[in-house]
Amino acid sequence: MRTGVYLAHPRPGSFNHAVFGAVVEELRGRGADVVAHDLCAEGFDPSLTARETGTVEVASPAHDPQVASHRAEVADLDALVFIHPNWWGMPPAVLTGWVQRVLAPGVAYKLGAAEGEPAGLLKATRALVLNTSDTPADREEREFGDPLHNVWAACVLPYVGIREVRRIVFRTVTDSSGEERAAWLEEARRHAASLLGQEALDR
C-alpha cells in the first residue's frame, strides 16, 4: 500500500513533527510504501500561479518541477495522511497552497455527468487527518462549529474521490503533559495502522 504523509508546520521540534515521525515509522514498520513530505522543510511554494489556473476538464501544466512531481506522485497513492495544526480554523498556508496547486482540476478531479458534480480522479480511497488544537472542544463547537471538518471531509477530499475520511484532533496541546503527548502519539500510530486494514492492527 502506497501512502503519502504530509506535514504542515514550520517549527522543527513541534508536536506536529513528533506525530509525523510516529506515523511514518508506524506505516513503514508495517510494510507500507511511504512517501513522506515535510512541506515547510522542503520549501514548498504555496502560491498558485496564473498559469496554473485551468479549467475543470484540462489541467494547466505545472511549470514548477516540485508541483509537477507532487501531482504525479499523488495520482499513484492508495491513501493520504495530513498532519497540521488548527490555525484560525484553517490549515497552514503551505498546505492550503499544496491543495490548490497539487489537487488541481484535471489532475485530481473533473466535472461529472451531473452538472456541477465532481468526479474524483485520484486512486486513493481513504485519508487520515491528524490535527492539533489549543481550543477546547466544547468552546470550538459552541462558537465555531468544526471548520476543519468541513474543509477536509466536505470540501476537499470527497471532491477528489476520497470517501473514507477519518479526522482526529489532539487538544489542548500547549498545556498538555508528557504523558498526554505520549498517549496521543500512540493513538496516531493506531489510526495510521488502520489505514492498512484490520489485519495490520492484529499483527
Side-chain angles (χ1 to χ4, degrees):
M1 185 170 184
R2 187 166 171 81
T3 304
V5 184
Y6 301 90
L7 168 67
H9 198 291
R11 190 180 71 252
S14 71
F15 183 65
N16 281 259
H17 281 77
V19 173
F20 177 69
V23 166
V24 171
E25 182 181 68
E26 185 70 23
L27 290 171
R28 286 178 174 163
R30 292 180 179 274
D33 178 10
V34 178
V35 289
H37 292 286
D38 179 340
L39 296 175
C40 292
E42 293 175 10
F44 187 89
D45 184 353
S47 300
L48 182 70
T49 68
R51 290 195 296 180
E52 291 171 1
T53 56
T55 71
V56 294
E57 298 296 333
V58 180
S60 293
H63 299 280
D64 182 332
Q66 188 180 36
V67 173
S69 175
H70 275 263
R71 286 183 178 183
E73 185 178 85
V74 78
D76 192 42
L77 298 176
D78 299 298
L80 295 89
V81 181
F82 298 101
I83 300 163
H84 68 86
N86 178 348
W87 284 350
W88 298 96
M90 300 178 286
V94 69
L95 185 52
T96 299
W98 183 92
V99 168
Q100 294 172 353
R101 300 188 77 192
V102 176
L103 302 185
V107 175
Y109 70 93
K110 64 179 181 179
L111 289 187
E115 185 177 352
E117 287 298 315
L121 299 177
L122 294 189
K123 175 184 174 185
T125 59
R126 60 184 68 173
L128 172 64
V129 181
L130 299 172
N131 293 144
T132 57
S133 176
D134 281 332
T135 304
D138 57 347
R139 180 188 167 205
E140 182 168 64
E141 178 64 26
R142 182 176 67 252
E143 297 184 15
F144 313 115
D146 191 350
L148 278 179
H149 172 81
N150 292 332
V151 167
W152 289 114
C155 297
V156 175
L157 295 175
Y159 224 81
V160 300
I162 297 175
R163 299 300 177 185
E164 184 181 332
V165 180
R166 180 178 303 178
R167 180 167 163 266
I168 307 300
V169 184
F170 304 119
R171 68 173 98 220
T172 56
V173 172
T174 296
D175 59 0
S176 60
S177 66
E179 291 78 9
E180 286 175 312
R181 294 189 178 206
W184 289 338
L185 291 178
E186 284 305 309
E187 184 178 356
R189 286 178 178 272
R190 290 196 302 273
H191 287 292
S194 72
L195 287 174
L196 307 181
Q198 185 60 46
E199 67 279 1
L201 290 173
D202 293 339
R203 281 208 306 252

